[in-house]
Amino acid sequence: MGAPPGYRPSAWVHLLHQLPRADFQLRPVPSGFAPRDQEYQQALLLVAALAGLGLGLSLIFIAVYLIRFCCCRPPEPPGAKSPPPGGGCVIWSCIAALLVGCAGIGIGFYGNSETSDGVSQLSSALLHANHTLSNIDDLVLETVERLSEAVKTELTTLEEVLSERVELVAATRGARRQAEAVAQHLQGLAFWQGVSLSPVQVAEDVIFVEEYRWLAYVLLLLLVLLVCLFTLLGLAKQSKWLVVVMTAMSLLVLVLSWGSLGLEAATAVGLSDFCSNPDAYVLNLTQEETGLSSDVLNYYFLCNQEVSNPFQQRLTLSQRALASIHSQLQGLEREAVPQFPAAQKPLISLEETLNATEGRFHQLVALLHCRSLHKDYGSALRGLCEDALEGLLFLMLFSLLSAGALATTLCSLPRAWALFPPSDDYDDTDDDDPFNPQESKRFVQWQSSI
């Protein structure tokens, strides 16, 4: 099958398409795009479940690390004021992990924008294709109505005026038959008329889903950013309550990051399967939804020299009939007008109708050519398989970086919290307050000295 102009499957599409797939029973599954196949659905769910496995392993690692830190650390000697060794390394590793998370947020914003651009290109291509199809239907309807009106009015009037000349009436009736034949041929060119599938509705559904997807990722990115910034603030101010709150929030965002990673991975794998050979699936789905013949669909989706124009015969017959009508009207104008001056007005009106019909016919020929719709098809594929897929890969990188950064942070924050000075909870107390622990200690020392 011929690829649309400007579209070639990228290296990422080939790489993701070659990854092995298996169902829930770990049986191999073909990598062809088949979203209605139960085994293929299970394969994508299994890809998403790998992120759940990563989340479980992360939580187990964090739990084991924290248990070891709490239960296996050596007791501090009484009266020790210096921090335990390695404390500075713990804090700096936490800060480095948070900075990596902030860098991942920038990657996530870029990936979200690229995905949105790709989906916008897809919806724009659908709307432009709908505009072309609507123009074809409108031109056919307008031309057929105008020809039918000319047959009922001008040609009928012309027959009445020329009723005394049998050969002129025969020529007029021949023009009538040709006009009716043109109208019949043109009606068969409105191939999209009556089709239930609407590209506008598909574009609106795509835009609706994309708006909520974009908003959800923006909120997730902002949440990760706030967690990173407030955690850095808590470390800088050595605020225990802020560190505790951010530890809980980091755990929540860790779960969300792994969840988004699983969703992105499954979507990227499925999209790569579609983009590796989109023509077969799109042809079958469109034929199933519209009921159009395979000749018409192959012509517009493939648009190469191997596929002939299915409307060529109708266009040729229509063009010949229009030329025949034109010659017959010219003959009537030469022979009938000198004898029947009343025939001049309907003949002029018929000439105007014929000229307008020929102009719309040439527009119709240009619209029916496969170039325009095939260009929209290629634009939709480029938006979906290049920009959107690239954005998904960047979003996967963001999710992976944020998950790793937050897992490191969850391991480091409890140790950093233990390094904070004990006076953290009494920063707002007055030094002269006798209930201040430091002031109480000095008072006991003063009494013992007396």
Side-chain angles (χ1 to χ4, degrees), residues 2 26 28 35 42 82 84 95 120 185 210 256 280 299 321 382 396 424 446:
L26 300 182
Q42 292 180 1
S82 61
I95 294 174
S120 298
H185 290 317
E210 171 58 21
L256 294 177
Y299 175 66
R382 288 192 300 274
M396 289 176 60
D424 179 70
W446 177 75

Side-chain angles (χ1 to χ4, degrees), residues 82-157:
S82 61
C89 181
V90 170
I91 294 178
W92 281 109
S93 65
C94 183
I95 294 174
L98 292 173
L99 292 177
V100 170
C102 292
I105 293 169
I107 295 174
F109 274 109
Y110 176 76
N112 197 35
S113 176
E114 281 292 301
T115 304
S116 181
D117 291 343
V119 176
S120 298
Q121 188 173 347
L122 168 63
S123 59
S124 299
L126 288 171
L127 293 175
H128 190 269
N130 181 78
H131 179 70
T132 302
L133 294 172
S134 300
N135 284 343
I136 292 174
D137 292 342
D138 294 341
L139 274 175
V140 169
L141 180 62
E142 184 181 357
T143 305
V144 170
E145 288 181 352
R146 189 65 188 91
L147 283 175
S148 300
E149 184 180 354
V151 169
K152 292 179 181 178
T153 56
E154 283 87 355
L155 285 174
T156 301
T157 303

Side-chain angles (χ1 to χ4, degrees), residues 45-95:
L45 289 176
L46 196 61
V47 172
L50 294 177
L53 178 61
L55 173 61
L57 293 176
S58 297
L59 294 178
I60 292 174
F61 174 77
I62 294 170
V64 171
Y65 181 86
L66 294 180
I67 291 173
R68 181 178 176 276
F69 167 71
C70 295
C71 301
C72 302
R73 60 176 180 174
E76 297 181 1
K81 296 183 180 180
S82 61
C89 181
V90 170
I91 294 178
W92 281 109
S93 65
C94 183
I95 294 174

Side-chain angles (χ1 to χ4, degrees), residues 80 98 163 190 206 254 294 308 346 438:
L98 292 173
S163 58
V206 169
L254 177 67
S294 58
S308 60
Q438 300 295 331

Side-chain angles (χ1 to χ4, degrees), residues 376-447:
D376 294 332
Y377 175 53
S379 177
L381 286 182
R382 288 192 300 274
L384 194 62
C385 299
E386 293 179 3
D387 293 340
L389 182 59
E390 180 184 353
L392 279 175
L393 295 176
F394 278 106
L395 287 175
M396 289 176 60
L397 181 59
F398 149 72
S399 298
L400 192 60
L401 288 176
S402 63
L406 292 172
T408 305
T409 302
L410 286 171
C411 292
S412 303
L413 281 181
R415 297 189 63 181
W417 182 84
L419 297 173
F420 292 167
S423 60
D424 179 70
D425 296 332
Y426 305 98
D427 286 341
D428 297 332
T429 58
D430 190 1
D431 291 340
D432 296 333
D433 187 0
F435 295 100
N436 188 337
Q438 300 295 331
E439 185 64 24
S440 299
K441 183 177 179 180
R442 288 196 294 269
F443 179 73
V444 171
Q445 293 176 352
W446 177 75
Q447 276 188 334

